[in-house]
Amino acid sequence: MASQPPQLPAVHEAYLPREHALHRPRHGKRQLTALICALLFFTTPTLLWVFGVRPTEIENHKLAGFPSITDGFGFFTGLPTWAVDQLSFRASAINAADGISRGVFREDAPLDQGSSSDSGPIPAPPLQQPGAPNQGPATPSLPGSNQAGYRKVVQGLDGWLYYGYDAEAKCTPTQDIDTTLKKVNELRTAVEASGRKFIFVVTPDKTTMVPQFLPDSYPGKECSQAAAPNDWYKMTTVGHSLDLRPALAASAAHVGHPIYAPNDTHWRDEGGVALARALAEAAQPGVTQSWQSTPDGVYDGVADLPLLIGKTGTKSNTQYTLEPDGVTDRAAGFISNIDTPVHRTSAPLPGTIAEPTLVYGDSFSLASSRYLSAAFTNLTYLAYSTDKTPQAAAVSELVNSRVVVLQAVERNVVGGLVPFTNDGFIAAVKTAMAAHPVG
C-alpha cells in the first residue's frame, strides 16, 4: 500500500506552535511598518501639493506625471517614478548624499551615473539667468537605455563639465542626419516659395568648440568624434546651415579664453554677439558694417551643468553693448522663457533688420536674446520644442514673419530631437505658406 503524503495542518502556519516544523511567523510588525512607509511615500507628494509645496525640475527633465489606471500593471510600476519626481525635498536629499559621500569616502557621489536618456533629457538644458528658476523649453523624452553607460555630465580637466548628451546624440541618434536635413529642406522650400527668407543655423556644442578640456576617456568619445566631421559637412552643405564655428573661434581668440563657460553648456555673451551678427548678415548682407560692440560690465548667472549632478554653481559673463548704427546701444535684457511667443519691437535704425522676423529656436536663442533684439527691430521668439504653444499657433507665427530663422543646437540636430521635422508640422507649414504668400 502506497504511503499517503503528509496532510497540511488545518490552520495557517503562523498559528502553529513555535516548536512545530511548519511554523512560519507572519512578521506582522514588519509588514505593518512597510505598509505605513509605502503609504507615506506615495501620499506625501499629494499632501505637500495640497499645502502649496511644489517640486522643482532639478534634473532638467519634465516631472513624471501620475500614471493612468488604463496602463494596467504599468500603473503600479509607474508610481515609484512619479513619487520620486514629486518629492519637493529631493534637491536637499541629493545635496545630503553628495555631502556624505565626500565626507565619508572623500569623493563626489556618482550622481551623474546613467544615460541622460534615463530621465528624458533636455538636449539643451534651460538657460539659467541670475535668480531665475530652473525652467526652459520642454523637450521630448528620449527612448533608449543605459547599456552604453552614457553620462549626464562628463567631468573634464581642470574642473570643466560637459553635457553628456553631446556625445550620446552622435552615437545613438533617434533620427539619422540625412532624414533630419531632408525635412529641414522641405521647410526651407515651403517658406522660400511663399516669398519669405529662410535661415537655418546650427549652434555648435561645447564639446565641438572647446574639446581641449575633455577627459582622455568617457562614454561615447570614439563614436561621437568619428561622426562629428561628417555631420558638420552635411549640415553646412546639404542643410545649408550657417557655419558659426569660424566666427566663434575668432571671438575666443580675441578675448583670450573659451566663450563657453566651464560649468555651463551654453556659450557666453560673445557667442550671442556672433549669432546676432551672422543672422543679420544672412538676412541683409552688409548690414553689420556699421556695428560697434564693446564690453559693458560683468554679471553672474546660474550654471546649468552642476544642477544635473545635484550641485549648484555660477557662471561669470562679460556683457556687451551693441550699437547697430555705431552710436545707439540697443542691447536689451535677456529673455528667460519662450515656451509661448515673445515679441520685441523697437524703432528701426541703420544697421538693423526691420522686417518681421521669427527666431524658432532653443535655449541658445535665449542665451543670445540680448543681442538678437538689438539687431532685429520686429522680432518674435518661440521654442520649437514647447508643448505650451499649439501647432496651429506656431505655424501662425511663421506666416506672420518675413524672415524665418530656424536655430537648433548641434546635439539636437544630429540626435534627431527636432520636432520641426515632424511630418504633420511640415504639412501644416506647407499649406499655410501656400495660402499666404508675400510679395
Side-chain angles (χ1 to χ4, degrees):
M1 181 176 178
S3 61
Q4 297 295 323
Q7 297 295 315
L8 294 176
V11 297
H12 193 280
E13 61 265 25
Y15 297 108
L16 293 171
R18 291 182 178 274
E19 297 77 11
H20 196 288
L22 297 180
H23 171 73
R24 297 290 186 274
R26 293 181 67 91
H27 306 293
K29 292 183 180 179
R30 295 183 184 179
Q31 291 174 339
L32 179 60
T33 301
L35 178 61
I36 292 174
C37 290
L39 289 173
L40 287 174
F41 181 74
F42 290 117
T43 59
T44 294
T46 304
L47 292 174
L48 291 174
W49 182 275
V50 170
F51 289 102
V53 180
R54 301 293 189 269
T56 56
E57 299 179 358
I58 60 170
E59 290 104 358
N60 289 307
H61 75 278
K62 295 180 68 177
L63 300 178
F66 190 79
S68 172
I69 195 67
T70 60
D71 294 338
F73 192 74
F75 173 82
F76 299 99
T77 59
L79 277 174
T81 301
W82 169 79
V84 169
D85 266 10
Q86 300 300 324
L87 291 176
S88 60
F89 48 82
R90 63 198 178 113
S92 299
I94 288 177
N95 290 334
D98 187 55
I100 293 172
S101 179
R102 285 185 281 107
V104 177
F105 300 105
R106 299 293 190 267
E107 63 181 22
D108 291 345
L111 300 172
D112 61 336
Q113 293 283 359
S115 165
S116 57
S117 311
D118 295 343
S119 56
I122 287 191
L127 178 70
Q128 301 296 312
Q129 297 297 345
N134 180 26
Q135 60 184 6
T139 53
S141 61
L142 184 74
S145 65
N146 186 30
Q147 293 179 354
Y150 295 111
R151 309 299 292 269
K152 292 180 180 178
V153 174
V154 173
Q155 302 197 25
L157 308 177
D158 299 332
W160 276 69
L161 301 176
Y162 292 85
Y163 192 33
Y165 189 67
D166 285 7
E168 185 177 352
K170 299 177 180 67
C171 296
T172 57
T174 61
Q175 177 174 273
D176 65 87
I177 187 70
D178 295 313
T179 299
T180 295
L181 297 179
K182 177 178 179 291
K183 299 295 185 180
V184 169
N185 284 332
E186 287 186 45
L187 284 174
R188 179 190 299 277
T189 299
V191 172
E192 292 180 344
S194 73
R196 296 168 175 82
K197 184 178 288 291
F198 183 89
I199 303 171
F200 178 45
V201 57
V202 177
T203 50
D205 292 339
K206 179 177 171 180
T207 48
T208 294
M209 296 306 304
V210 195
Q212 60 267 34
F213 296 104
L214 285 166
D216 293 335
S217 177
Y218 58 91
K221 176 182 179 180
E222 290 74 17
C223 59
S224 63
Q225 292 185 351
N230 185 57
D231 288 340
W232 272 105
Y233 174 78
K234 290 184 175 181
M235 287 186 292
T236 55
T237 55
V238 177
H240 307 287
S241 168
L242 299 182
D243 191 352
L244 298 178
R245 292 174 298 170
L248 296 176
S251 182
H254 177 73
V255 297
H257 59 73
I259 62 173
Y260 288 69
N263 58 355
D264 198 274
T265 194
H266 299 91
W267 56 35
R268 291 170 164 147
D269 285 45
E270 294 87 356
V273 174
L275 176 63
R277 184 181 294 274
L279 293 180
E281 279 293 319
Q284 184 179 325
V287 73
T288 66
Q289 290 182 2
S290 59
W291 281 23
Q292 296 293 326
S293 184
T294 57
D296 187 34
V298 177
Y299 69 95
D300 290 335
V302 180
D304 58 14
L305 291 177
L307 296 174
L308 294 178
I309 51 176
K311 300 182 179 181
T312 59
T314 59
K315 56 179 180 180
S316 295
N317 296 276
T318 299
Q319 71 179 18
Y320 292 82
T321 65
L322 204 167
E323 301 106 22
D325 61 353
V327 178
T328 310
D329 181 17
R330 281 292 183 83
F334 286 102
I335 296 173
S336 62
N337 190 290
I338 53 175
D339 281 352
T340 56
V342 176
H343 306 280
R344 279 195 169 177
T345 59
S346 57
L349 280 177
T352 61
I353 306 298
E355 290 186 291
T357 300
L358 171 69
V359 173
Y360 200 41
D362 54 35
S363 56
F364 276 80
S365 293
L366 296 179
S368 311
S369 55
R370 171 180 170 86
Y371 308 104
L372 293 173
S373 298
F376 295 83
T377 62
N378 188 350
L379 184 60
T380 299
Y381 299 86
L382 179 61
Y384 58 74
S385 57
T386 181
D387 58 4
K388 296 182 179 180
T389 296
Q391 176 179 289
V395 173
S396 178
E397 294 298 339
L398 270 73
V399 169
N400 293 336
S401 303
R402 297 297 180 268
V403 179
V404 175
V405 175
L406 182 59
Q407 175 274 312
V409 66
E410 176 187 350
R411 55 180 161 262
N412 284 17
V413 176
V414 301
L417 288 184
V418 278
F420 49 76
T421 64
N422 176 274
D423 288 336
F425 177 76
I426 294 175
V429 171
K430 288 180 178 179
T431 300
M433 290 294 169
H436 300 87
V438 298

